[in-house]
Structure formats: structure tokens, C-alpha cells
Amino acid sequence: MLSTLSAGAAVASLLLAGSASPTTPARFGDEPPTGKITITVATVNGSGCRPGSAAVAIAPDNTAFTVTYSEYLAQAGGSSQPTDSRKNCQIALNVHVPQGFTYAIARADYRGYASLAPGAKGLEQANYYFQGQQQTARKSHTFAGPYDNNWQSSDETDIDALVYAPCGEERYFNINTELRVDGKSADPKATSFMAMDSTDGSINTLYHFAWKQCPPRR
């Protein structure tokens, strides 16, 4: 995170921790398995997430998992550099699920904090896919200044459009996200930023599983 905004981002994280309400993961598809699920970060790449700056945790009831970033911030205006206005992150997750089950992602909830000067705009977009399969459509969400608050967006997939991991195969689950800040129409002295990061684990993205039992092997 840029030093000029480190204090502000820390305050933003604390504000979000105090104002966000607990989220109860929704259930999609079949009942989730009761066996152990493990998810590890296989690779991470991008200007918004250096190695070691992303962590994963699984919900106790196996309905969802979270990805938490610690250095994911785009900014424009003030002393910002042109390359600061767009940040991206590509993560490959190694997901192990109990035998006899497969999963899809039914919904993804993205959260963060934004401080946008009047005239500035922020954008969050993301998509995800299984290794070797077609990528999902990239969905975008925009925010307009003046804005100084938590932000949240959700991408949900229709049940009949869910893409499940192949049964009995282990494939990386890839997540691509991007943040952009456009300050061309704002006061050039005003710094605007949009963050999908946290210094205390209070801000995360939530991916909701849709579970399905695999057909018996013959």
C-alpha cells in the first residue's frame, strides 16, 4: 500500500470493522459435505496482490470461503502515478473437496472501502473459472464521487448456468479481479482511492459454494 495512504486505509479498515454486519452464507444446490475441505493459494500475481498478501478461509459449515487481501488499492489524483489508477490480482486456488462431491460458485460478494472526490469514478470487476474451462463473463460495478464509505458488490449466477468442477478431478479455481480509479474529471489535487484490502482481516471477498453429489463411478 502506498505510504501516502497507509494511515487512511488503516482508518478505513477500522471503520468497516465497526460498521459491517455479520454475513450468514446462503446455501445453494445440494447440502454441503460434512467432510474436511482445504483451500490453499497456489499462485498469486498482479499489481494489486504481491505474493503473501492474500489469504483464504473456509466457512465452518462448508457453504462458502473468503479471500482477504492486505495490499489491494487503486488511486488517482494528488501525488499518484499513472500506474496507480489500475490494480489487478490473479489468484489460483488449490481446492480439495470430499470424495463424491463437486462444486460451483453461485455468488461472489466483493467488499472494500472507497474515498472518491467529486467527479472521480471507481470501478470493480471480476470473473472466475476452473483450470481448463471457459472463463465466466467479467462483471463490472461502478461508483461515483463524492463517495467516502464502505462499498459492496455481488455477482450471482443463475442455477441453470452454474459451471461445476469436473467430478473426480483436481483443477485450480482461478479468480481475476480489478480495481480502477478515474480522476480525470475531479480536482487534480484531490486524491481518490478504492481499496479491496484490509490490515486486520475485516474486509474480504466471499464466494458461495453450490454443491452437487457426483454420480457413482461404474
Side-chain angles (χ1 to χ4, degrees), residues 38-125:
T38 62
I39 303 178
T40 57
V41 178
T43 62
V44 58
N45 185 35
S47 56
C49 56
R50 64 174 179 81
S53 65
V56 183
I58 303 170
D61 58 0
N62 290 342
T63 59
F65 68 92
T66 61
V67 179
T68 304
Y69 303 93
S70 61
E71 299 181 0
Y72 201 167
L73 179 147
Q75 68 172 17
S79 60
S80 306
Q81 300 298 314
T83 54
D84 296 335
S85 64
R86 176 186 178 274
K87 298 294 181 180
N88 74 298
C89 184
Q90 302 178 25
I91 298 180
L93 299 178
N94 198 358
V95 183
H96 296 274
V97 304
Q99 186 174 1
F101 284 86
T102 184
Y103 71 95
I105 300 301
R107 191 174 79 207
D109 300 325
Y110 301 92
R111 300 180 178 88
Y113 196 91
S115 179
L116 303 173
K121 297 179 181 179
L123 176 143
E124 174 272 324
Q125 61 181 357

